[in-house]
Amino acid sequence: MMMKKNILITISLVAVISGITACKHVTELKVINGTVIDASMNNITLATSDGNTVNISTMNANPEKVPGVLLYDSVKVTCVNKDMEGIKILTATELSILRHSPYYYIQGTWIEPNPIAPKEVQGFTLNQDGTAQSVNMATLSIDGWNLEDRTLFLNYKSIGNRQSFDGIDTLQINKIDADSLVLSQKGIVIWRLGKQK
């Protein structure tokens, strides 16, 4: 009887010690909401609503759980602190996009009716690599673009009578979604464009 009791006490002690040891290995999950302000292959930087900047490693993350992001995406990231050679690195385990950035929608061909010939369309194509092309605009050749926050910069060459010059149009994005793009300059709307399917 005494031997059975000792065995039970020993088993109980082993179970308690194992439980304590297991607790030490449990990694605390941390959920961070923010806007992507920088991104690379192995890291994203978020600006949080409380004004902090947080760097999160995405190295070796499962791409199904931690997909790629674009600048200005609003995201929710679940992280753990991983020990890498004695340094604690905040590492993403899951990421979901709460709201897409303008970069998600802006690539593609945007057109509007030509005010001179309403049966025709005009506009521009914005390519993923930052190049661009005009659509049916012989005197305005758009060849590049950049997006900073909600400002679109279009590089262009104006082609006139016996002369041409290069310039950059600075346009504020009033509205952008999957189907429409409204651009203004100095408070005046100058483009109301639809996405070409």
Coordinates of all heavy atoms in Angstrom, one line a residue, residues 74-154:
S74 N -3.9 48.5 -44.3 CA -4.2 48.4 -42.9 C -4.2 46.9 -42.5 O -5.0 46.2 -43.2 CB -5.5 49.1 -42.5 OG -5.4 50.5 -42.7
V75 N -3.5 46.5 -41.5 CA -3.3 45.1 -41.2 C -3.5 44.8 -39.8 O -3.4 45.6 -38.9 CB -2.0 44.6 -41.7 CG1 -1.8 44.7 -43.2 CG2 -0.8 45.2 -41.0
K76 N -3.8 43.5 -39.5 CA -3.8 42.9 -38.2 C -2.8 41.8 -38.2 O -2.9 40.9 -39.0 CB -5.2 42.4 -37.8 CG -5.3 41.7 -36.5 CD -6.8 41.2 -36.4 CE -6.9 40.4 -35.1 NZ -8.3 39.8 -35.0
V77 N -1.8 41.9 -37.3 CA -0.7 40.9 -37.3 C -0.7 40.2 -35.9 O -0.6 40.9 -34.9 CB 0.6 41.6 -37.6 CG1 1.7 40.5 -37.8 CG2 0.6 42.4 -38.8
T78 N -0.7 38.9 -35.9 CA -0.4 38.1 -34.7 C 1.0 37.7 -34.7 O 1.6 37.2 -35.7 CB -1.3 36.8 -34.7 OG1 -2.7 37.2 -34.8 CG2 -1.1 36.1 -33.4
C79 N 1.7 38.1 -33.6 CA 3.2 37.9 -33.5 C 3.5 37.1 -32.2 O 2.8 37.0 -31.3 CB 3.9 39.2 -33.4 SG 3.3 40.4 -34.5
V80 N 4.8 36.6 -32.3 CA 5.4 36.0 -31.1 C 6.8 36.6 -31.0 O 7.4 37.0 -32.0 CB 5.5 34.5 -31.2 CG1 4.1 33.8 -31.1 CG2 6.2 34.0 -32.4
N81 N 7.4 36.6 -29.8 CA 8.8 36.9 -29.6 C 9.6 35.7 -29.8 O 9.6 34.8 -29.0 CB 9.0 37.5 -28.3 CG 8.9 39.0 -28.3 OD1 9.4 39.7 -29.2 ND2 8.1 39.6 -27.3
K82 N 10.4 35.6 -30.9 CA 11.3 34.5 -31.1 C 12.7 34.8 -30.7 O 13.2 35.9 -30.9 CB 11.3 34.1 -32.6 CG 10.1 33.3 -33.0 CD 10.3 32.7 -34.4 CE 9.1 31.8 -34.8 NZ 9.3 31.3 -36.1
D83 N 13.4 33.8 -30.0 CA 14.7 34.0 -29.6 C 15.7 33.6 -30.7 O 15.7 32.5 -31.1 CB 15.0 33.1 -28.3 CG 16.3 33.5 -27.6 OD1 17.2 34.0 -28.3 OD2 16.4 33.2 -26.4
M84 N 16.4 34.6 -31.3 CA 17.3 34.3 -32.3 C 18.7 34.7 -31.9 O 19.0 35.9 -31.8 CB 16.9 35.1 -33.6 CG 15.6 34.6 -34.2 SD 15.3 35.3 -35.8 CE 13.7 34.5 -36.2
E85 N 19.5 33.7 -31.5 CA 20.9 34.0 -31.0 C 20.9 35.0 -29.8 O 21.7 35.9 -29.8 CB 21.8 34.5 -32.2 CG 21.9 33.5 -33.3 CD 22.8 33.9 -34.4 OE1 23.3 35.1 -34.3 OE2 22.9 33.2 -35.4
G86 N 20.0 34.8 -28.9 CA 19.9 35.6 -27.7 C 19.2 36.9 -27.8 O 19.1 37.6 -26.9
I87 N 18.7 37.2 -29.0 CA 17.9 38.4 -29.2 C 16.5 38.1 -29.5 O 16.2 37.2 -30.3 CB 18.5 39.2 -30.4 CG1 20.0 39.6 -30.2 CG2 17.7 40.5 -30.7 CD1 20.7 40.1 -31.4
K88 N 15.6 38.8 -28.8 CA 14.1 38.6 -29.0 C 13.7 39.3 -30.3 O 13.9 40.6 -30.3 CB 13.3 39.0 -27.8 CG 13.6 38.3 -26.5 CD 13.0 36.9 -26.6 CE 13.2 36.2 -25.2 NZ 12.6 34.8 -25.3
I89 N 13.1 38.6 -31.2 CA 12.7 39.2 -32.5 C 11.2 39.0 -32.6 O 10.7 37.9 -32.5 CB 13.4 38.6 -33.7 CG1 14.9 38.6 -33.6 CG2 12.9 39.2 -35.0 CD1 15.5 40.0 -33.8
L90 N 10.4 40.1 -32.8 CA 9.0 40.1 -32.9 C 8.7 39.5 -34.3 O 9.2 40.0 -35.3 CB 8.4 41.5 -32.8 CG 6.9 41.6 -32.6 CD1 6.5 40.9 -31.3 CD2 6.5 43.0 -32.5
T91 N 8.0 38.3 -34.4 CA 7.9 37.6 -35.6 C 6.4 37.3 -35.9 O 5.7 36.9 -35.0 CB 8.6 36.2 -35.5 OG1 10.0 36.5 -35.2 CG2 8.6 35.5 -36.8
A92 N 6.0 37.5 -37.1 CA 4.6 37.3 -37.5 C 4.3 35.9 -37.7 O 5.0 35.1 -38.3 CB 4.3 38.1 -38.8
T93 N 3.1 35.4 -37.1 CA 2.6 34.1 -37.3 C 1.4 34.1 -38.2 O 1.1 33.1 -38.9 CB 2.3 33.4 -36.0 OG1 1.4 34.2 -35.3 CG2 3.6 33.2 -35.2
E94 N 0.6 35.2 -38.1 CA -0.6 35.4 -39.0 C -0.7 36.8 -39.3 O -0.4 37.7 -38.5 CB -1.8 34.9 -38.2 CG -2.0 33.4 -38.1 CD -3.3 32.9 -37.6 OE1 -4.3 33.4 -38.1 OE2 -3.3 32.1 -36.6
L95 N -1.3 37.1 -40.5 CA -1.5 38.5 -40.9 C -2.8 38.5 -41.8 O -3.0 37.7 -42.6 CB -0.3 39.0 -41.8 CG -0.4 40.4 -42.2 CD1 1.0 41.0 -42.3 CD2 -1.1 40.6 -43.6
S96 N -3.6 39.5 -41.5 CA -4.8 39.7 -42.3 C -4.9 41.2 -42.7 O -4.6 42.0 -41.9 CB -6.1 39.2 -41.6 OG -6.2 39.9 -40.3
I97 N -5.3 41.4 -43.9 CA -5.5 42.8 -44.4 C -6.9 43.3 -44.1 O -7.8 42.7 -44.5 CB -5.2 42.9 -45.9 CG1 -3.7 42.5 -46.2 CG2 -5.4 44.3 -46.4 CD1 -3.4 42.2 -47.6
L98 N -6.9 44.4 -43.3 CA -8.2 44.9 -42.9 C -8.8 45.9 -43.9 O -9.9 46.0 -44.2 CB -8.1 45.7 -41.6 CG -7.5 44.9 -40.4 CD1 -7.3 45.8 -39.2 CD2 -8.4 43.7 -40.1
R99 N -7.8 46.6 -44.6 CA -8.2 47.6 -45.6 C -7.1 47.7 -46.6 O -5.9 47.9 -46.2 CB -8.6 48.9 -45.1 CG -9.2 49.9 -46.1 CD -9.6 51.2 -45.5 NE -8.5 52.0 -45.1 CZ -8.1 52.3 -43.9 NH1 -8.8 51.9 -42.9 NH2 -7.1 53.0 -43.7
H100 N -7.3 47.5 -47.9 CA -6.3 47.6 -48.9 C -5.8 49.0 -49.1 O -6.6 50.0 -49.0 CB -6.8 47.1 -50.3 CG -6.9 45.6 -50.3 ND1 -5.8 44.7 -50.2 CD2 -8.0 44.8 -50.4 CE1 -6.2 43.5 -50.3 NE2 -7.5 43.5 -50.4
S101 N -4.6 49.2 -49.4 CA -4.0 50.5 -49.7 C -4.4 50.9 -51.2 O -4.8 50.1 -52.0 CB -2.5 50.5 -49.6 OG -1.9 50.0 -50.8
P102 N -4.2 52.2 -51.5 CA -4.5 52.6 -52.9 C -3.6 51.9 -53.9 O -4.0 51.7 -55.0 CB -4.1 54.1 -52.9 CG -4.4 54.6 -51.5 CD -4.0 53.4 -50.6
Y103 N -2.4 51.4 -53.5 CA -1.6 50.6 -54.4 C -2.3 49.4 -54.9 O -2.0 48.9 -56.0 CB -0.3 50.2 -53.7 CG 0.8 51.3 -53.7 CD1 1.1 51.9 -52.5 CD2 1.5 51.5 -54.8 CE1 2.1 52.9 -52.5 CE2 2.5 52.5 -54.8 CZ 2.8 53.2 -53.6 OH 3.8 54.1 -53.6
Y104 N -3.1 48.8 -54.1 CA -3.8 47.6 -54.5 C -4.7 47.8 -55.7 O -4.9 47.0 -56.5 CB -4.6 47.1 -53.3 CG -5.4 45.8 -53.5 CD1 -4.8 44.6 -53.5 CD2 -6.8 45.9 -53.8 CE1 -5.6 43.4 -53.7 CE2 -7.5 44.7 -54.0 CZ -6.9 43.5 -53.9 OH -7.6 42.4 -54.2
Y105 N -5.4 49.0 -55.7 CA -6.4 49.3 -56.7 C -5.8 50.0 -57.9 O -6.3 50.0 -59.0 CB -7.5 50.1 -56.1 CG -8.3 49.4 -55.1 CD1 -8.3 49.8 -53.7 CD2 -9.2 48.3 -55.4 CE1 -9.0 49.1 -52.8 CE2 -9.9 47.7 -54.4 CZ -9.8 48.1 -53.1 OH -10.6 47.4 -52.2
I106 N -4.8 50.8 -57.7 CA -4.4 51.8 -58.7 C -3.7 51.3 -59.9 O -3.8 51.9 -61.0 CB -3.5 53.0 -58.0 CG1 -3.7 54.2 -58.8 CG2 -2.1 52.5 -57.9 CD1 -3.3 55.5 -58.1
Q107 N -3.1 50.1 -59.9 CA -2.5 49.6 -61.1 C -3.5 49.1 -62.1 O -4.6 48.6 -61.7 CB -1.6 48.4 -60.7 CG -0.4 48.9 -59.8 CD 0.3 47.7 -59.2 OE1 0.4 46.6 -59.8 NE2 0.9 47.9 -58.0
G108 N -3.3 49.4 -63.3 CA -4.2 49.0 -64.4 C -4.5 50.2 -65.3 O -3.8 51.2 -65.3
T109 N -5.5 50.1 -66.1 CA -5.9 51.1 -67.1 C -7.1 51.9 -66.7 O -8.1 51.3 -66.4 CB -6.1 50.5 -68.5 OG1 -4.9 49.8 -68.9 CG2 -6.5 51.5 -69.5
W110 N -7.0 53.2 -66.6 CA -8.1 54.1 -66.2 C -8.5 55.0 -67.3 O -7.6 55.6 -68.0 CB -7.6 54.9 -65.0 CG -7.3 54.1 -63.8 CD1 -6.0 53.7 -63.4 CD2 -8.2 53.7 -62.8 NE1 -6.1 53.0 -62.2 CE2 -7.4 53.0 -61.8 CE3 -9.6 53.8 -62.6 CZ2 -8.0 52.4 -60.7 CZ3 -10.2 53.2 -61.5 CH2 -9.4 52.5 -60.6
I111 N -9.8 55.0 -67.6 CA -10.2 55.8 -68.8 C -11.5 56.6 -68.4 O -12.2 56.4 -67.4 CB -10.6 54.8 -70.0 CG1 -11.6 53.7 -69.5 CG2 -9.3 54.2 -70.6 CD1 -12.1 52.8 -70.6
E112 N -11.7 57.6 -69.3 CA -12.9 58.5 -69.2 C -13.3 58.8 -70.6 O -12.5 58.7 -71.6 CB -12.7 59.7 -68.4 CG -11.7 60.7 -69.0 CD -11.5 62.0 -68.3 OE1 -12.1 62.1 -67.2 OE2 -10.8 62.8 -68.8
P113 N -14.5 59.3 -70.9 CA -14.9 59.7 -72.2 C -14.1 60.9 -72.6 O -13.7 61.8 -71.8 CB -16.4 60.1 -72.1 CG -16.9 59.4 -70.9 CD -15.7 59.3 -69.9
N114 N -13.6 60.9 -73.9 CA -12.9 62.0 -74.4 C -13.8 63.2 -74.6 O -14.8 63.1 -75.3 CB -12.3 61.6 -75.8 CG -11.4 62.7 -76.4 OD1 -11.5 63.8 -76.1 ND2 -10.4 62.2 -77.1
P115 N -13.6 64.4 -74.0 CA -14.5 65.5 -74.1 C -14.6 66.1 -75.5 O -15.7 66.7 -75.8 CB -13.9 66.6 -73.1 CG -12.5 66.1 -72.9 CD -12.4 64.7 -73.1
I116 N -13.6 65.8 -76.3 CA -13.7 66.3 -77.7 C -14.4 65.3 -78.6 O -15.2 65.7 -79.5 CB -12.3 66.6 -78.3 CG1 -11.6 67.7 -77.4 CG2 -12.3 67.0 -79.7 CD1 -10.1 67.8 -77.7
A117 N -14.3 64.0 -78.3 CA -14.9 63.0 -79.1 C -15.5 62.0 -78.2 O -14.9 61.0 -77.8 CB -13.9 62.3 -80.0
P118 N -16.8 62.2 -77.7 CA -17.4 61.4 -76.7 C -17.5 59.9 -76.9 O -17.7 59.1 -76.0 CB -18.8 62.0 -76.5 CG -18.7 63.4 -77.1 CD -17.6 63.3 -78.1
K119 N -17.4 59.5 -78.2 CA -17.5 58.1 -78.5 C -16.2 57.4 -78.3 O -16.1 56.2 -78.3 CB -17.9 57.9 -80.0 CG -19.4 58.3 -80.3 CD -19.8 58.0 -81.7 CE -21.2 58.3 -81.9 NZ -21.6 58.1 -83.3
E120 N -15.1 58.2 -78.0 CA -13.8 57.6 -77.7 C -13.5 57.8 -76.2 O -14.2 58.5 -75.5 CB -12.7 58.4 -78.6 CG -12.9 58.2 -80.0 CD -11.9 59.0 -80.8 OE1 -11.0 59.7 -80.2 OE2 -12.0 59.0 -82.1
V121 N -12.4 57.1 -75.8 CA -12.0 57.2 -74.4 C -10.6 57.7 -74.4 O -9.8 57.6 -75.3 CB -12.1 55.9 -73.6 CG1 -13.6 55.5 -73.5 CG2 -11.3 54.8 -74.3
Q122 N -10.2 58.3 -73.2 CA -8.8 58.7 -73.0 C -8.4 58.3 -71.5 O -9.3 58.2 -70.7 CB -8.6 60.2 -73.3 CG -9.4 61.1 -72.3 CD -9.1 62.5 -72.6 OE1 -8.7 62.9 -73.7 NE2 -9.4 63.4 -71.6
G123 N -7.2 58.3 -71.3 CA -6.7 58.0 -69.9 C -5.3 57.6 -69.9 O -4.5 58.0 -70.7
F124 N -5.0 56.6 -69.0 CA -3.6 56.1 -68.8 C -3.6 54.7 -68.2 O -4.6 54.3 -67.6 CB -2.8 57.1 -68.0 CG -3.4 57.5 -66.7 CD1 -3.4 56.7 -65.6 CD2 -4.1 58.8 -66.6 CE1 -4.1 57.2 -64.4 CE2 -4.7 59.2 -65.5 CZ -4.7 58.4 -64.4
T125 N -2.5 54.1 -68.4 CA -2.2 52.8 -67.8 C -1.1 52.9 -66.8 O 0.0 53.4 -67.2 CB -1.9 51.7 -68.9 OG1 -3.0 51.6 -69.8 CG2 -1.6 50.3 -68.3
L126 N -1.3 52.4 -65.6 CA -0.2 52.4 -64.6 C 0.2 51.0 -64.4 O -0.5 50.1 -64.0 CB -0.8 53.0 -63.3 CG -1.4 54.4 -63.4 CD1 -1.9 54.8 -62.0 CD2 -0.4 55.4 -63.9
N127 N 1.5 50.7 -64.7 CA 2.0 49.4 -64.6 C 2.7 49.1 -63.3 O 3.1 50.1 -62.6 CB 3.1 49.1 -65.7 CG 2.5 49.3 -67.1 OD1 1.4 48.8 -67.4 ND2 3.2 50.1 -67.9
Q128 N 2.8 47.8 -62.9 CA 3.3 47.5 -61.6 C 4.7 47.9 -61.4 O 5.1 48.3 -60.3 CB 3.2 45.9 -61.4 CG 3.6 45.4 -60.1 CD 3.4 43.9 -59.9 OE1 3.1 43.2 -60.9 NE2 3.6 43.4 -58.7
D129 N 5.5 48.0 -62.4 CA 6.9 48.4 -62.3 C 7.2 49.9 -62.3 O 8.3 50.4 -62.3 CB 7.8 47.8 -63.4 CG 7.3 48.3 -64.8 OD1 6.4 49.1 -64.9 OD2 8.0 47.8 -65.8
G130 N 6.1 50.7 -62.2 CA 6.2 52.2 -62.1 C 6.2 52.9 -63.5 O 6.3 54.1 -63.5
T131 N 6.2 52.1 -64.6 CA 6.1 52.7 -65.9 C 4.6 53.0 -66.2 O 3.7 52.5 -65.5 CB 6.7 51.9 -67.0 OG1 6.0 50.6 -67.0 CG2 8.1 51.6 -66.8
A132 N 4.3 53.8 -67.2 CA 2.9 54.2 -67.6 C 2.9 54.4 -69.0 O 3.9 54.7 -69.7 CB 2.5 55.4 -66.7
Q133 N 1.6 54.4 -69.6 CA 1.4 54.8 -71.0 C 0.1 55.6 -71.0 O -0.9 55.3 -70.3 CB 1.2 53.6 -71.9 CG 2.4 52.7 -72.0 CD 2.6 51.6 -70.9 OE1 1.6 51.1 -70.5 NE2 3.8 51.4 -70.5
S134 N 0.0 56.6 -71.9 CA -1.2 57.3 -72.2 C -2.1 56.4 -73.0 O -1.7 55.6 -73.8 CB -0.9 58.6 -73.0 OG -0.1 59.4 -72.2
V135 N -3.4 56.7 -72.9 CA -4.4 56.0 -73.7 C -5.1 57.1 -74.6 O -5.8 58.0 -74.0 CB -5.5 55.2 -72.8 CG1 -6.6 54.7 -73.7 CG2 -4.8 54.1 -72.0
N136 N -4.9 57.0 -75.9 CA -5.5 58.0 -76.8 C -5.3 59.4 -76.5 O -6.2 60.3 -76.6 CB -7.0 57.7 -76.9 CG -7.4 56.3 -77.5 OD1 -6.6 55.7 -78.2 ND2 -8.5 55.8 -77.1
M137 N -4.1 59.8 -76.1 CA -3.7 61.2 -75.8 C -2.4 61.5 -76.6 O -1.3 61.3 -76.1 CB -3.6 61.5 -74.3 CG -4.9 61.3 -73.6 SD -4.8 62.0 -71.9 CE -3.6 60.8 -71.1
A138 N -2.5 61.9 -77.8 CA -1.4 62.1 -78.7 C -0.5 63.2 -78.2 O 0.8 63.2 -78.4 CB -1.9 62.4 -80.1
T139 N -1.0 64.3 -77.5 CA -0.1 65.4 -77.2 C 0.4 65.3 -75.7 O 1.1 66.2 -75.3 CB -0.9 66.7 -77.3 OG1 -2.1 66.7 -76.5 CG2 -1.3 66.9 -78.8
L140 N -0.1 64.3 -75.0 CA 0.4 64.1 -73.6 C 0.8 62.6 -73.4 O 0.0 61.7 -73.4 CB -0.7 64.4 -72.6 CG -0.3 64.4 -71.1 CD1 0.7 65.5 -70.8 CD2 -1.6 64.5 -70.3
S141 N 2.1 62.4 -73.4 CA 2.7 61.1 -73.2 C 3.1 60.8 -71.8 O 4.1 61.4 -71.3 CB 3.9 60.9 -74.1 OG 4.5 59.7 -73.9
I142 N 2.3 60.0 -71.1 CA 2.6 59.7 -69.7 C 3.4 58.5 -69.7 O 3.1 57.4 -70.3 CB 1.2 59.4 -68.9 CG1 0.4 60.7 -68.9 CG2 1.5 58.9 -67.5 CD1 -1.0 60.5 -68.4
D143 N 4.6 58.5 -69.0 CA 5.5 57.4 -69.0 C 6.0 56.8 -67.7 O 6.7 55.9 -67.6 CB 6.8 57.8 -69.9 CG 7.5 59.0 -69.3 OD1 7.3 59.4 -68.1 OD2 8.3 59.5 -70.1
G144 N 5.5 57.4 -66.6 CA 5.9 56.9 -65.3 C 4.9 57.4 -64.2 O 4.2 58.4 -64.4
W145 N 4.9 56.7 -63.1 CA 4.1 57.1 -62.0 C 4.7 56.7 -60.6 O 5.5 55.8 -60.5 CB 2.7 56.5 -62.1 CG 2.6 55.0 -61.9 CD1 3.0 54.1 -62.8 CD2 2.2 54.3 -60.7 NE1 2.8 52.8 -62.3 CE2 2.3 52.9 -61.0 CE3 1.7 54.7 -59.5 CZ2 2.0 51.9 -60.1 CZ3 1.4 53.7 -58.5 CH2 1.6 52.4 -58.8
N146 N 4.2 57.4 -59.6 CA 4.6 57.1 -58.2 C 3.4 57.5 -57.3 O 2.7 58.4 -57.6 CB 5.9 57.8 -57.8 CG 6.4 57.3 -56.5 OD1 6.2 56.2 -56.1 ND2 7.0 58.2 -55.7
L147 N 3.3 56.8 -56.2 CA 2.2 57.1 -55.3 C 2.8 57.3 -53.9 O 3.5 56.4 -53.4 CB 1.2 55.9 -55.3 CG -0.1 56.1 -54.4 CD1 -0.9 57.2 -55.0 CD2 -0.8 54.8 -54.4
E148 N 2.5 58.4 -53.3 CA 2.9 58.7 -51.9 C 1.7 59.1 -51.1 O 1.1 60.1 -51.4 CB 4.0 59.8 -51.9 CG 5.3 59.3 -52.4 CD 6.4 60.4 -52.4 OE1 6.2 61.3 -51.6 OE2 7.4 60.2 -53.1
D149 N 1.4 58.3 -50.1 CA 0.2 58.4 -49.3 C -1.0 58.5 -50.3 O -1.2 57.5 -51.0 CB 0.3 59.7 -48.4 CG -0.7 59.7 -47.3 OD1 -1.4 58.6 -47.2 OD2 -0.8 60.7 -46.6
R150 N -1.7 59.6 -50.4 CA -2.8 59.7 -51.3 C -2.6 60.7 -52.4 O -3.5 61.4 -52.9 CB -4.1 60.0 -50.6 CG -4.6 58.8 -49.7 CD -5.9 59.1 -49.1 NE -7.0 59.0 -50.0 CZ -7.6 57.9 -50.4 NH1 -7.2 56.7 -49.9 NH2 -8.6 57.9 -51.2
T151 N -1.3 60.8 -52.8 CA -0.9 61.7 -53.9 C -0.3 60.9 -55.0 O 0.7 60.2 -54.8 CB 0.1 62.8 -53.4 OG1 -0.5 63.5 -52.3 CG2 0.5 63.8 -54.5
L152 N -0.8 61.1 -56.2 CA -0.3 60.4 -57.4 C 0.5 61.4 -58.2 O 0.1 62.5 -58.5 CB -1.5 59.9 -58.3 CG -1.2 59.2 -59.6 CD1 -0.4 57.9 -59.4 CD2 -2.4 59.0 -60.4
F153 N 1.8 60.9 -58.6 CA 2.7 61.7 -59.4 C 2.8 61.0 -60.8 O 3.1 59.8 -60.8 CB 4.1 61.8 -58.8 CG 4.1 62.4 -57.4 CD1 4.0 61.7 -56.3 CD2 4.2 63.8 -57.3 CE1 4.0 62.3 -55.0 CE2 4.2 64.4 -56.0 CZ 4.1 63.7 -54.9
L154 N 2.4 61.8 -61.8 CA 2.5 61.3 -63.2 C 3.6 62.0 -63.9 O 3.6 63.2 -64.1 CB 1.2 61.5 -63.9 CG -0.1 60.7 -63.4 CD1 -1.3 61.1 -64.3 CD2 0.2 59.2 -63.5

